Structure formats: C-alpha cells, structure tokens
Amino acid sequence: MPVATSKFAKRAVAAPAALAAVGLVLSACGSKATDSTDAAGSASCVDTSGDTIKVGSLNSLSGTMAISEVTVRDSIALAVEEINANGGVLGKQIRIVAEDGASEPTVFAEKAEKLISSDCVAAVFGGWTSSSRKAMLPVFEDNNALLYYPVQYEGLESSPNIFYTGATTNQQIVPALDYLKEKGVKSLYLVGSDYVFPQTANRIIRAYAEANGIEIKGEDYTPLGSTDFSTIVNKVRTADADAVFNTLNGDSNVAFFREYSNVGLTAADMPVISVSIAEEEVVGIGAQNITGQLTAWNYYQTVDGPENTAFVDAYKAKYGANKPTSDPMEAAYASVYLWKNTVEKADSFAVADVQAAADGVSFDAPEGTVTIDGDNHHITKTARIGEIRGDGLIYTVWVSNGAIEPDPYLESYDWAAGLSGS
C-alpha cells in the first residue's frame, strides 16, 4: 500500500515529540497469553485464551466535553451488547473496560496507556477533541495498539494505529462551504474554540474562501469551556457577515447560542453553520435559541432507512425515549462493528492482521453503508447539511450524491496545496 506507507510514515515522524509533550513513560506489556508482536518485537499482552476479549472505551465523562461524550460511551456499549447477543467476535464475548478522559488531553494519554499496557485491551474506542486524539496518537503508535476515533476532525493526519470513523475535511467542512457558496454566501465570520481542530479547520476555510471569492470578516477563538460570549457576539453582529462558521466545541456552544439569541440575531439575519453541534447539544442549548440554524454532519436521528430505525429504537429502548441519537455516537457505534467485521475477516485479533485485512471492510450503518479505506484508515461518508427545528431534531436539507471517499490531506483540491505541510 504505497500511499498508506507515505502518509503513515509522515505521521509517525511527529510521534516521539508528541509523546514527550504529554510526559508519558511507556511500560511494557504483561506476560499474559500473546496474540501479536509489534514491529519492534515487543509482545502484545492481549489475552485471547479465554471466552472473552477486552476492549477499551475512553470518553470524557466529566468536564466541559461530557455534554458530548457520555452519549458516545453509551453507543459503544449498545454496539457491544448487540454483538454479544449475536455470538460475539470469533466466538468470544466482548468485555468493555471504561475510562474517563475528563476532558483533558494528558488524561486521555494516560488512560490510553493504562488500557493498552495494564488492561491489555484488543482495541480502544473513543476520544473527541483533536487535542485528545493527538495526545493519544503516539501512545497507540509506540505500543502498536488500535484506536477507533469516532468524531469529525480537521484532517491532515493518518496513522496505521488509528481508524477514523468520523468525517475528515472533504466529507464535512468542504461540503458545508460548497453549500454556503451555492446559497450565495460571500462573507463569513469564523468562531471557534482555541485548540487544534478549530484552528486547523479555519486555516482550511480561509484557503477555500480565498479561492472562491469569499471574504473572511473576522476570526475569534475562546478557550474550551468558555461561557462569556458577549464580546465575540457583538463583534459578529457588527461585522455583518453573510454567515458564521462555528467550530466551537462542548458546552461553550450553549453560552454562544444563548447570547446570539439574546442580542436578537437569528438564522434569518445571519445563519450559523456548525460542525460540532448534534442533537444532544441542541437539548442543552434549547431549541428556541437555535431553531433554523444549520449543521454539517453525516448522520442525523431523522435519517430515513431501516438500519437507522433499528438503531434509534434500540438506543431509546436502552437509554430512554427522550434520548436523541447523533452523528458522533452513530460513528462510534459503527466503529465497533467495523472492528468486529475486520477481526472476523482477518480471523485474528492481532494488530498487524487487523491492519492488513481492513481495506474494503464495510458496515451497513445507520447513516448508510460505510467502507474502510485501507490506505489512510478513514471511511466513506455521506455528507449532509441539516436544519435545526423547534422539536430539537435536525432535518436534512442537502445530501451528497452518495458516499464520499476520504481525502484527509485534501490532495484532490488545488486550493489546498501546501496545507498539509504548514
């Protein structure tokens, strides 16, 4: 796989520096029954001798990101419960070892190390912010373990040890910009949280805007967890842009949209398109504060199809009739099935065997059929623009013509030349 080798090698060069940044000292695996040996020759401690196999669930169950990540944890558990009820994986029942990343990248890295080296899990499902993913990446690469990361992100990355089951840039941000352009948007104001994803996403948005005659009228960032948006919203209002592109994450969205509504800004006046607000965040914001605003995702609870009907019914039956489903939790749910299907294709839990078998593995997910690209470990995704309505749900107003192949480095876009190297 020549493309995979070059991209994975590029990502791996940065791993030691990232590892040093989180200050981890990696420990060797234990002496349990081994299933694989990594490239450096150190044995995996994954135990395949019994009738169970352990996997990790690593999500923020506390802190500013808990509003988003608790439901991801729940959907991972639902997928495992369903798989176990149907015989498990290679005849083994899956056992979840759950950890709290506490909305802190260093905690994610520490808990990832624990899951791999002490709990000896066969794979880990979780993470949300790009800061958490980048903190975990060297841990998974240096331990030769597998992370299934379920959230849309800024792209410009690939790793042999991560499967990215949320959207990359050409499956979410670029379709969102294309949609705004088609609607006649000539100017944007950029608002985001102050960390990796919003900063990189906005760098991509600026490159797109320059190539497509769109003016960027302002750009503001605020720390994760910020609740005072009076200054930023006033700047947005006076800038008089055609639309706002929102890359805020977590519970900051609650404060932003409440302030947006308080000053009288509406979707009719200045629409906001968001890439990190899903159905559960709408509940926290209050539908009355966000009705008519837009989102860009690959899945909504309202997607029509038998797979989604079954998923929504099962989720509500397990967690409550008032609990909505959303894109990241659907991607997390699909990731467990993609791991299962890859393990069964490989007839092995060993990392090298799973990596070798991954290309072309599919799952009929609630969003539509998704397929792993073995070159970059991303998956095909159908892009959807949605409108938030008064019932708190999001309804598709535009959908791509079929599933979009992942292009994490935006190599098919002339305007993106140089982005991956800067």
Side-chain angles (χ1 to χ4, degrees):
M1 298 187 298
V3 176
T5 302
S6 63
K7 295 304 182 188
F8 291 156
K10 178 179 181 180
R11 174 52 258 183
V13 167
L19 181 60
V22 298
L24 293 176
V25 178
L26 298 178
S27 59
C29 288
S31 58
K32 297 179 181 179
T34 60
D35 188 73
S36 65
T37 301
D38 68 20
S42 61
S44 164
C45 64
V46 175
D47 187 354
T48 61
S49 63
D51 57 4
T52 62
I53 188 75
K54 289 190 288 186
V55 301
S57 173
L58 180 50
N59 312 100
S60 292
L61 310 180
S62 59
T64 190
M65 293 306 303
I67 186 176
S68 301
E69 295 189 52
V70 167
T71 57
V72 172
R73 183 273 315 268
D74 291 345
S75 66
I76 292 167
L78 175 62
V80 167
E81 181 180 281
E82 291 176 351
I83 292 168
N84 282 342
N86 285 285
V89 181
L90 296 184
K92 299 181 187 297
Q93 294 285 287
I94 305 169
R95 176 186 162 198
I96 296 177
V97 182
E99 290 290 348
D100 179 9
S103 303
E104 293 289 342
T106 53
V107 175
F108 270 95
E110 292 162 1
K111 293 298 178 69
E113 173 66 25
K114 171 188 176 293
L115 286 168
I116 297 164
S117 298
S118 298
D119 298 306
C120 302
V121 299
V124 175
F125 302 92
W128 184 293
T129 68
S130 288
S131 297
S132 71
R133 187 193 68 256
K134 286 185 177 296
M136 291 189 289
L137 188 150
V139 179
F140 283 91
E141 289 187 340
D142 287 8
N143 283 280
N144 193 34
L146 295 176
L147 170 66
Y148 285 75
Y149 176 70
V151 184
Q152 48 73 233
Y153 82 114
E154 70 281 358
L156 309 182
E157 179 184 294
S158 58
S159 168
N161 296 93
I162 299 180
F163 286 94
Y164 306 77
T165 63
T168 188
T169 318
N170 76 305
Q171 299 166 321
Q172 186 197 31
I173 290 176
V174 174
L177 291 167
D178 287 343
Y179 176 81
L180 293 175
K181 181 183 175 183
E182 289 171 9
K183 293 298 181 181
V185 168
K186 298 293 186 183
S187 61
L188 289 170
Y189 201 106
L190 310 181
V191 177
S193 298
D194 192 10
Y195 76 104
V196 177
F197 165 61
Q199 292 167 351
T200 306
N202 285 341
R203 188 156 54 92
I204 292 167
I205 291 168
R206 290 196 304 271
Y208 177 100
E210 182 177 354
N212 288 275
I214 297 173
E215 180 185 1
I216 303 299
K217 290 204 168 185
E219 183 174 349
D220 277 298
Y221 298 95
T222 185
L224 276 169
S226 292
T227 57
D228 184 359
F229 282 90
S230 56
T231 300
I232 288 177
V233 168
N234 278 328
K235 289 170 70 175
V236 169
R237 180 173 56 179
T238 57
D240 195 29
D242 291 338
V244 176
F245 205 107
N246 171 31
T247 52
L248 292 170
N249 233 311
D251 53 11
S252 291
N253 278 297
V254 177
F256 172 74
F257 277 101
R258 287 181 177 175
E259 182 65 21
Y260 206 81
S261 177
N262 285 342
V263 302
L265 287 172
T266 67
D269 301 324
M270 193 184 298
V272 180
I273 191 162
S274 302
V275 292
S276 294
I277 289 178
E279 286 83 346
E280 63 265 27
E281 286 85 8
V282 172
V283 173
I285 294 165
Q288 72 278 8
N289 296 313
I290 200 170
T291 298
Q293 302 291 11
L294 301 171
T295 64
W297 288 107
N298 308 104
Y299 167 86
Y300 303 116
Q301 180 177 302
T302 55
V303 167
D304 188 29
E307 290 83 9
N308 187 42
T309 298
F311 171 61
V312 172
D313 289 348
Y315 188 85
K316 289 180 178 294
K318 184 172 177 63
Y319 296 110
N322 64 332
K323 298 292 186 180
T325 58
S326 67
D327 184 289
M329 55 191 289
E330 185 269 349
Y333 173 85
S335 71
V336 183
Y337 277 96
L338 286 168
W339 170 75
K340 168 189 177 290
N341 292 351
T342 310
V343 166
E344 291 178 343
K345 178 182 175 183
D347 195 27
S348 170
F349 292 101
V351 169
D353 294 338
V354 171
Q355 291 167 328
D359 188 46
V361 170
S362 294
F363 172 60
D364 291 332
E367 69 181 84
T369 301
V370 295
T371 304
I372 297 174
D373 183 323
D375 283 344
N376 56 44
H377 283 191
H378 292 66
I379 68 174
T380 60
K381 306 284 284 185
T382 299
R384 291 178 169 93
I385 307 300
E387 180 183 296
I388 300 166
R389 297 186 184 163
D391 60 0
L393 297 179
I394 306 173
Y395 294 82
T396 301
V397 295
W398 177 89
V399 62
S400 61
N401 184 22
I404 300 171
E405 295 291 330
D407 181 10
Y409 292 91
L410 297 173
E411 293 171 328
S412 58
Y413 300 90
D414 292 340
W415 55 262
L419 283 172
S420 62
S422 56

